[in-house]
Amino acid sequence: MKTTSRVVVIGGGVVGASVLYHLTKLGWSDVMLVERSELTSGSTWHAAGGFHTLNGDTNMAALQGYTINLYKELEEITSMSCGLHHVGGLTLADNQDRFDMLLAERAKHRYMGLETEVFGPEQIKEFAPIINTDGIIGALYDPLDGHLDPSGTTHAYAKAARLGGADIVTHTKVIETNQRPDGTWDVVTDKGTIHTEHVVNAGGLWAREVGAMAGVYLPLHPMEHQYIVTDEIAEIYERGTEHPHVMDPSGESYLRQEGRGLCIGFYEQPCRPWAVDGTPWDFGHELLPDDFDKIEDSIAFAYKRFPVLETAGVKSVIHGPFTFAPDGNPLVGPIPGLRGYWSACGVMAGFSQGGGVGLMLAQWMVDGECERDTSAMDVARYGRWITPGYTLPKVIENYQTRFSVSYPNEELPAARPLRTTPMYDAFDNMGAVWGQQYGLEVVNYFAEGDEPRFETPSFRRSNAFDATAREVAAVRNAVGINEVQNFGKYDVQGPGARAWLDRLMAGRIPAPGRLSLTPMLSPQGRIIGDFTVSCLSETHFQITGSYGAQAYHMRWFMSHEPDGEVTLDNVSDRRTGFQIAGPRARDLLQAVTREDVSDMRFMDVRQLTIGLSTAIVQRVSYTGDLGYEIYVDAMEQRALWQVLWEAGQEFGIRPFGMRAMMSLRLDKFFGSWGREFSPDYTPAETGLDRFISWKKDTDFIGRAAAEAERSAPPERVSVAFEIEAEDADVNAYEPVWIDGKVQGFCTSGGYSHHLGKSIALALVPRALVSPDMKAEVEVLGNMCKATLLPEPLFDQSGARMRG
Ligand SMILES: Cc1cc2nc3c(=O)[nH]c(=O)nc-3n(C[C@H](O)[C@H](O)[C@H](O)COP(=O)(O)OP(=O)(O)OC[C@H]3O[C@@H](n4cnc5c(N)ncnc54)[C@H](O)[C@@H]3O)c2cc1C
């Protein structure tokens, strides 16, 4: 066995093998994989081998498409068979909400180039005659759906990796991973030690145990899962062609042909987590005992949907464990704060996602960044607050909702409330309807009177509509108040603070007493952050960004480590307060401080005494209105509330939540993190280039790429449309049709309650943008007229915001 290697991948399941192959594909050949038994000895060997592209997250769906298309390449490279069956598949809908979801997916697929189609009941019957179509509204047909041989595929990845120079060592168990003071690693196995720069944890069922060897907690948990293979069925083997896949979300089942019979698996409600206290090391090639009790109801449902099953005998039952993260997406990328340690775990659909996971991780390791936004699977989407106590109920919830309709406004209930601010009970008493962001309870809106304390999940306008309209009106006509808790906040101090920020941020770092808005770019010029930088003194700054991106941003900050001249502190949960916004905001601020704020200009920042507290007050507002953000020590938030709330009565103060905030920002076409601003886009595409400081002489990260983009503007550009919508607004990724073709897509949208209009922000080809462009946006299958809005309809002169 080699004793040194640039990379050691721990685990020879489909995911570890894919990572290894992709590293070689990108040019790293000094790489090895260590497997404690044979390849495939975890979840991989007993998988049903099904694959499909359907995924609520568009980037995940694209990576699933990549994975499926990769198998042919693997077969060509290795001359091995992956046992591919590209039979196509249907996802059924037997209620309007589910059909809406499929229509929304179909729409997204258009600009992604995926050839899915919506089938009606007759087409379904023709395509898959064993389905009882009673009650079925329609189905989404995906020609890419199919299945393969899990073992053959894993071995094909392994052979392709070997051909690229990789080493694979089996029957060798990793027992320790120890980091040396220089950041490199000793991977200790029962056959000797390997010194390496990079450790990849692809331990699958044992990923928790492998992580613990390095002191890392990975939020994943194994769940038991069962599928049944039937005896021969005449209706199947007498068909001239192989039967397609069928996903029946109402029955929580997936079905496909297996030999001359069928194979059907279930995501049953009475599901069971497995190995709660840790995966036994002696588990591997055995299955769990059959358990028909927990799938009894699912089987009864399946008999109705697929009547041929009722008389079919059972040939075999496969019951085994596999792992899930709390949201069901993989956990991929560098572990924050641990140099050279990478996660490739929590992959619950290894044969749909394994290729994409391998590609993204390999790009991250070799190139330093990925070609697309990986936030949906980034291990840094969870913070330090994550615990096994949180993970377990969330994983159970995820398993149970695997086939549920997933709504854009949905808030899932498990493991909540977890993190709350001092305002939680006060807001709760005021009627708060809660959402959750990065473990934190945030107010979506306030219900009044008899209004339910629950937002109806929907693809169309929900029951939050009236409450949101009230809150928007309060901001635009008087003054609204909203917590600033859900910003990520960082305190940067020291003689080197300005220089450090200047290098990290593409924008201008402001003078004392001033703020600036700035994108943060990757070396390839992609947007990896949009921040407000507040200069409290020449050596002291506060930066604010997305709350949910804290671990992601801290990982980046720490990898460009502030030296001894700079201290960086993530104060997101220790510094909090409120924003006040609306035409009476200045009056309110003046009423709670003895200092004169009449001369406080837009983008000023000051330390003021507000009531009993010393506060950082900055004049800026994401609502696009006159507004101030007021930050205090979290221990003083209730005192600050008391002062603002009492003084605000005179000015018509009303609390507002995130639904109102997202409506208000549309009046000004303000982009938001994860929607308009993400690593999928560049500054010139999204308009953030106007915040880049071309004048500063610092070689900020991403400068060369941004300069190149400046001299050759990108082909697509962000625009705003007014949409002739009925009862459903744009959410994200709806296709934009121009001249009868899909030429762009929406990044976000919604209803502007102030303007009384449905608004969409979209990326379209720059060359096609003109005042009389004819565009339509497809919303839930309806073609809606889209009229270009060259400039915001609210406060065009900026008098309200800046005045
Ligand atoms: C019943 C069932 C049906 C399924 N059907 C499908 C399906 O149809 N489609 C689909 O896409 N997915 C399916 N899956 C899920 C699929 O099996 C997993 O997504 C996939 O196998 C995960 O692969 P992995 O490489 O991450 O983990 P694993 O397969 O668990 O591999 C981890 C490997 O790491 C090794 N290892 C662990 N610790 C060490 C150590 N200390 N030293 C050395 N080696 C170590 C293990 O021996 C193991 O080989 C199914 C799962 C089950 C249980």
Side-chain angles (χ1 to χ4, degrees), residues 548-801:
Q550 274 172 70
Y552 171 82
H553 283 144
M554 279 303 285
R555 183 176 61 197
W556 182 256
F557 294 152
M558 296 313 288
S559 68
H560 296 83
E561 210 162 331
D563 56 22
E565 300 265 275
V566 186
T567 58
L568 167 71
D569 194 6
N570 178 359
V571 294
S572 303
D573 292 325
R574 280 176 278 141
R575 191 174 292 170
T576 186
F578 301 94
Q579 67 156 315
I580 52 172
R584 306 304 306 272
R586 185 185 289 114
D587 299 331
L588 172 56
L589 182 65
Q590 191 59 78
V592 294
T593 181
R594 297 174 67 83
E595 287 158 81
D596 178 14
V597 294
S598 63
D599 61 345
M600 200 170 164
R601 293 168 301 160
F602 180 61
M603 304 298 270
D604 271 357
V605 55
R606 287 184 189 170
Q607 297 226 6
L608 298 176
T609 301
I610 307 279
L612 305 171
S613 306
T614 300
I616 297 171
V617 181
Q618 39 195 53
R619 190 175 152 195
V620 67
S621 175
Y622 191 54
T623 62
D625 220 307
L626 170 67
Y628 302 86
E629 292 171 358
I630 306 170
Y631 297 90
V632 292
D633 186 305
M635 304 281 279
E636 296 168 26
Q637 194 191 16
R638 284 299 283 265
L640 178 65
W641 166 258
Q642 207 60 33
V643 166
L644 290 168
W645 185 244
E646 277 168 17
Q649 297 307 311
E650 182 190 344
F651 306 109
I653 194 168
R654 185 188 267 273
F656 68 102
M658 289 310 293
R659 298 278 182 262
M661 176 92 111
M662 294 314 271
S663 171
L664 289 158
R665 63 132 196 156
L666 287 175
D667 297 351
K668 295 285 272 188
F669 307 160
F670 287 161
S672 94
W673 177 251
R675 295 177 179 88
E676 284 65 42
F677 309 142
S678 91
D680 277 341
Y681 313 125
T682 62
E685 287 177 332
T686 55
L688 277 187
D689 54 343
R690 70 183 185 281
F691 297 116
I692 293 180
S693 173
W694 305 109
K695 280 193 290 195
K696 72 180 186 183
D697 56 11
T698 320
D699 184 22
F700 59 83
I701 296 170
R703 179 159 198 150
E707 299 265 13
E709 188 179 51
R710 192 181 183 203
S711 48
E715 282 176 11
R716 55 186 189 178
V717 66
S718 182
V719 294
F721 290 117
E722 178 184 343
I723 306 293
E724 274 185 20
E726 286 170 20
D727 62 344
D729 301 302
V730 159
N731 176 44
Y733 296 113
E734 292 81 356
V736 179
W737 294 72
I738 304 171
D739 303 331
K741 275 200 296 199
V742 174
Q743 311 245 25
F745 62 95
C746 298
T747 47
S748 73
Y751 190 74
S752 157
H753 287 271
H754 180 64
L755 302 170
K757 292 181 191 308
S758 187
I759 304 284
L761 304 180
L763 277 171
V764 297
R766 188 178 294 268
L768 300 181
V769 179
S770 72
D772 52 356
M773 72 189 283
K774 301 262 175 299
E776 286 173 303
V777 171
E778 186 179 341
V779 182
L780 301 182
N782 292 328
M783 299 300 264
C784 302
K785 187 176 169 207
T787 307
L788 187 75
L789 297 173
E791 51 183 22
L793 301 175
F794 169 70
D795 193 28
Q796 275 147 1
S797 66
R800 278 279 278 265
M801 192 168 73

Side-chain angles (χ1 to χ4, degrees), residues 10-16 34-51 172-175 202-206 210 213 223 225-227 254 281 318-322 344-353:
I10 304 171
V14 64
V15 174
V34 181
E35 163 56 48
R36 71 186 177 112
S37 178
E38 297 289 344
L39 295 179
T40 77
S41 296
S43 299
T44 298
W45 75 269
H46 52 236
F51 52 75
T172 303
K173 181 181 166 192
V174 172
I175 46 181
L205 281 179
W206 296 266
V210 172
M213 294 175 192
M223 295 293 293
H225 184 64
Q226 197 165 218
Y227 65 88
Y254 57 88
W281 284 110
I318 307 290
H319 192 197
F322 64 134
C345 307
V347 184
M348 61 73 54
F351 298 95
S352 297
Q353 301 173 336

Side-chain angles (χ1 to χ4, degrees), residues 417-437:
L418 171 61
R419 296 172 70 75
T420 58
T421 73
M423 288 306 296
Y424 183 76
D425 56 346
F427 280 160
D428 207 48
N429 287 334
M430 293 169 79
V433 178
W434 296 99
Q436 199 202 36
Q437 198 193 349

Side-chain angles (χ1 to χ4, degrees), residues 18 188 215 257 261 301 334 404 408 411 415 439 493 514 523 661 683 743:
S18 167
V188 183
Q257 182 166 346
F301 196 99
S404 301
E411 299 287 351
Q493 294 198 48
R514 295 289 289 161
M661 176 92 111
Q743 311 245 25

